[in-house]
Amino acid sequence: MPTPTIRVLKDSDELAAAAAHVIIHAASRAIRARGCFTIALSGGSTPEKTYQLLAQPENAQKIDWARWYVFFGDERFVPLDDPRSNYHLAARTLLSHVPLPSANIFAVPTDLPNAASAASAYSAMVAKFFKLTPTDAPPRLDLILLGLGDDGHTASLFPGKPSLQEKKLWFTGTSPGILPPPVDRITATFPLLNAGREVMFLVGGAGKAKILQAVLSAKTWQYPCNHVVPQDGVLLWALDAAAAAGLPHISGK
Ligand code: 6PG
């Protein structure tokens, strides 16, 4: 189990640039090795700058978008055109600005009756893409982007929820945690996250310094994000200096 790599960038712009660089290079490696790149996007506000950078012509022209396949590590159980939707965030900042075939974008079907049925249907969609069944071992996504909530959650794996104990399903429905928006979610489970070839946490801003210090110095695995331990993959924490302020002895860059 490799130890996580921690990179501290000067500010949010450098963090976004570093994250875009990681994504572009992960895509090149995956396309060279397997002919395609599978990525799970995260929601929240942190990745917005990174998504916008990827859509900038100087980056977008380097990318073989037709070989990208986009999934979501979690989704709010709201319509996809709802501003709270993670799909809506990705579409607004990236997906609607690049020539990524719509057939290559796998949005969570939030028009189903409830989050549990949406999660089950999403697992089936992902399984079909990977030519697996939802009861198989989870697929190995090339890159999974994750954020960190102030309560130590990641994706929509919230403290105290049954989803933390899920050992078989790839996606599950969950009631909201303590942080907004107060809507049910669909979330990847630890089995899916830990099957990732590369998992990158993107954490920025002074508001995350306290929780980041806690999760990265956790003696016990007391936060959900501590359970993201790719079994045969790379774990990267990409931080800006403001978020990393409480981390002792972490050199920048
Ligand atoms: C979501 C995200 C969630 C997010 C963290 C951090 O659906 O909200 O997937 O896990 O990444 O809560 O959010 P910020 O980037 O807004 O701080």
Side-chain angles (χ1 to χ4, degrees):
M1 181 181 2
T3 52
T5 301
I6 298 176
R7 278 194 68 193
V8 179
L9 289 306
K10 183 162 64 79
D11 55 28
S12 61
D13 289 339
E14 282 208 7
L15 175 61
H21 180 84
V22 167
I23 295 166
I24 289 169
H25 285 269
S28 301
R29 283 197 305 277
I31 291 167
R32 269 198 313 273
R34 288 174 295 281
C36 70
F37 174 54
T38 55
I39 181 172
L41 300 181
S42 74
S45 57
T46 305
E48 186 158 346
K49 272 190 182 179
T50 300
Y51 297 165
Q52 289 168 331
L53 264 184
L54 288 172
Q56 291 297 316
E58 69 269 17
N59 286 319
Q61 66 198 8
K62 296 178 201 167
I63 292 170
D64 186 354
W65 294 104
R67 292 178 182 270
W68 279 44
Y69 295 86
V70 175
F71 303 88
F72 291 83
D74 70 321
E75 185 54 283
R76 289 84 179 274
F77 189 64
V78 296
L80 297 182
D81 60 0
D82 185 308
R84 296 170 296 178
S85 158
N86 290 337
Y87 169 84
H88 183 272
L89 163 74
R92 174 170 59 80
T93 55
L94 173 60
L95 304 179
S96 58
H97 303 285
V98 294
L100 219 165
S102 55
N104 293 21
I105 301 170
F106 296 82
V108 178
T110 57
D111 53 351
L112 292 180
N114 52 53
S117 57
S120 174
Y122 198 52
S123 293
M125 283 168 65
V126 174
K128 185 175 177 203
F129 172 81
F130 283 97
K131 298 183 176 53
L132 296 168
T133 71
T135 54
D136 287 329
R140 299 200 68 198
L141 287 158
D142 292 311
L143 179 58
I144 300 173
L145 302 185
L146 291 174
L148 174 66
D150 296 351
D151 58 355
H153 84 256
T154 192
S156 287
L157 294 162
F158 301 117
K161 298 291 184 185
S163 57
L164 303 184
Q165 311 309 322
E166 180 54 55
K167 298 285 185 279
K168 294 278 182 209
L169 299 177
W170 304 352
F171 292 88
T172 188
T174 179
S175 54
I178 58 171
L179 298 169
V183 296
D184 286 354
R185 310 292 179 88
I186 294 89
T187 186
T189 60
F190 290 123
L192 184 86
L193 298 181
N194 289 333
R197 286 193 171 85
E198 191 166 355
V199 178
M200 174 162 66
F201 279 94
L202 265 184
V203 186
K208 294 291 168 68
K210 188 163 180 280
I211 187 63
L212 196 60
Q213 184 182 16
V215 302
L216 289 185
S217 58
K219 299 289 178 283
T220 58
W221 287 10
Q222 57 185 326
Y223 300 97
C225 66
N226 292 128
H227 292 265
V228 176
V229 186
Q231 294 312 299
D232 184 20
V234 173
L235 178 59
L236 168 64
W237 286 83
L239 316 170
D240 69 12
L247 301 184
H249 322 306
I250 296 281
S251 60
K253 294 259 181 213

